[in-house]
């Protein structure tokens, strides 16, 4: 005699649904963690690209600083180095228009956050082109300079370059930057070294 087919009891169905719910929760948690990991990796790579681009631009520009005198109220100055800003003359890359222009590096507000900025001026001290935002989310910049003094002796690192009528030999750039990628302090050597040959102020 055949026994009648037996279906699932209500308790068995509830247990199966509970197990299915646990499995779905684990799967969703794994997917959320994976998405966060991908987003974090994307932010890291984007920030890494920004930091490297800013460092490469500054290294190339500062290394090619030229001893060109300003023609306006600052006549005679060829290089102005302050603790948090820098003014120097150098050639622009071709993709930015080329030609020799004054570069002004400082920190300014971009929206509600400070950012590392560089502006350009002509030899007549007139603004040229649009400011370029090198790095977002920057708390500050600390610049220092090293060269030779009036007696021809090598200086220590100075927060202010006191001889604006001649070039330093090196510029050190330290940036306090937020984000997952730290700014590695740069030391840029000027390729054109006339620090010991130009007239003192």
């Amino acid at each position: 005699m055949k026994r009648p087919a037996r279906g699932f009891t209500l308790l068995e169905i509830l247990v199966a649904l509970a197990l299915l719910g646990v499995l779905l929760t684990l799967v969703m948690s794994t997917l959320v963690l994976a998405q966060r990991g991908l987003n974090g990796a994307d932010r890291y790579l984007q920030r890494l690209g920004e930091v490297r681009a800013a460092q490469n631009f500054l290294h190339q520009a500062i290394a090619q600083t030229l001893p060109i005198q300003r023609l306006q109220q600052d006549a005679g100055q060829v290089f102005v180095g302050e603790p948090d800003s820098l003014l120097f003359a150098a050639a622009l890359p071709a993709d930015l228009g080329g030609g020799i222009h004054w570069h002004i590096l400082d920190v300014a507000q971009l929206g509600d956050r400070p950012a590392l900025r560089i502006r350009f001026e002509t030899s007549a001290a007139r603004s040229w082109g649009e400011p370029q935002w090198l790095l977002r989310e920057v708390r500050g910049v600390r610049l220092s300079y090293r060269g030779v003094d009036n007696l021809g002796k090598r200086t220590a690192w100075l927060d202010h370059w006191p001889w604006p009528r001649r070039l330093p030999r090196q510029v050190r750039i330290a940036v306090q930057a937020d984000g997952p990628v730290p700014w590695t302090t740069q030391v840029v050597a000027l390729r054109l070294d006339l620090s010991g040959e130009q007239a003192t102020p």
Side-chain angles (χ1 to χ4, degrees):
M1 181 176 175
K2 282 187 175 182
R3 300 179 62 181
R6 180 176 176 271
F8 293 106
T9 65
L10 179 60
L11 180 59
E12 290 171 336
I13 293 175
L14 291 176
V15 171
L17 289 175
L19 291 176
L20 181 61
V22 171
L23 289 176
L24 287 175
T25 300
L26 291 175
V27 170
M28 289 301 296
S29 298
T30 302
L31 291 176
V32 168
L33 290 175
Q35 185 62 44
R36 288 179 179 174
L38 289 175
N39 291 340
D42 287 343
R43 287 194 297 271
Y44 179 86
L45 291 176
Q46 181 180 3
R47 187 64 170 179
L48 180 62
E50 291 177 354
V51 170
R52 284 184 175 176
Q55 290 184 328
N56 289 339
F57 177 86
L58 290 177
H59 188 278
Q60 293 177 9
I62 295 173
Q64 299 177 19
T65 298
L66 299 169
I68 297 175
Q69 295 184 355
R70 287 173 69 81
L71 301 179
Q72 298 299 311
Q73 67 273 15
D74 299 324
Q77 290 184 340
V78 300
F79 187 95
V80 180
E82 301 292 343
D84 56 359
S85 64
L86 176 59
L87 186 147
F88 61 97
L92 281 176
D95 56 349
L96 290 180
I100 297 174
H101 292 81
W102 286 93
H103 295 51
I104 305 170
L105 177 69
D106 59 10
V107 174
Q109 287 293 124
L110 177 60
D112 59 347
R113 301 292 298 275
L116 189 63
R117 174 184 70 173
I118 193 156
R119 297 174 287 136
F120 308 107
E121 289 184 354
T122 65
S123 58
R126 294 179 180 175
S127 296
W128 185 90
E130 296 293 326
Q132 300 295 310
W133 299 98
L134 297 178
L135 190 64
R136 300 173 291 108
E137 299 179 8
V138 169
R139 294 193 301 275
V141 58
R142 183 175 180 181
L143 305 171
S144 49
Y145 314 92
R146 186 160 62 182
V148 295
D149 61 18
N150 292 337
L151 300 177
K153 295 182 179 179
R154 188 179 182 90
T155 70
W157 286 107
L158 307 173
D159 291 333
H160 165 78
W161 182 245
W163 303 287
R165 294 189 181 182
R166 64 173 186 262
L167 301 178
R169 289 186 174 176
Q170 293 177 310
V171 177
R172 184 169 63 187
I173 310 169
V175 176
Q176 296 175 326
D178 292 328
V181 181
W183 177 284
T184 303
T185 299
Q186 287 181 285
V187 176
V188 182
L190 277 65
R191 294 175 187 170
L192 183 59
D193 181 12
L194 300 177
S195 55
E197 300 176 8
Q198 295 176 325
T200 58

